[in-house]
Amino acid sequence: MDSLQLFPLSEVIPDYQALYHAVARQIEKDFHPHVAMSEPPAVLSSEWLFAELKRMLTIIVEQKNQTLGAIIYRVDLSEKLARRTMNTSGHTERLDELTALMLKREAQKVWIRHNYRE
């Protein structure tokens, strides 16, 4: 089940594991070559994806270089959303909000590609 609700409740997702694996591949693609994803568990969950994406973002933020901007661009977050998130008070809150936004965007990209391919 999708406890982080990456998609509206009205959407029918028949196979969450396939979705989670596709999202994990998309994250890995967008973060390559800057940081690698950990070995996934046998059964993926939205919570694992969130924790893993947050771990990867933490590494990027700690490097204090231009990589974060490049990744935000590759994930295709709107500049307005990214700026608003970066103005959130507190490092942990900023990182949690940015992680949630990126995870939702990555899931949207996978869902759109799956449902609207020719």
Side-chain angles (χ1 to χ4, degrees), residues 17-78:
Q17 283 303 299
L19 170 69
Y20 293 150
H21 282 281
V23 171
R25 285 190 302 274
Q26 184 65 47
I27 292 169
E28 196 167 36
K29 177 183 163 193
D30 286 344
F31 276 72
H32 179 79
H34 307 292
V35 63
M37 186 171 271
S38 301
E39 186 67 30
V43 177
L44 292 182
S45 67
S46 56
E47 291 83 3
W48 183 84
L49 287 170
F50 182 89
E52 183 62 13
L53 183 56
K54 185 175 179 180
R55 181 194 68 80
M56 294 167 76
L57 279 171
T58 300
I59 291 169
I60 296 295
V61 168
E62 288 173 355
Q63 290 176 355
K64 296 185 180 179
N65 59 25
Q66 299 301 316
T67 305
L68 180 60
I71 288 176
I72 287 172
Y73 178 78
R74 287 182 79 180
V75 169
D76 193 28
L77 271 185
S78 79

Side-chain angles (χ1 to χ4, degrees), residues 1 92 110:
M1 195 63 172
T92 304
V110 167

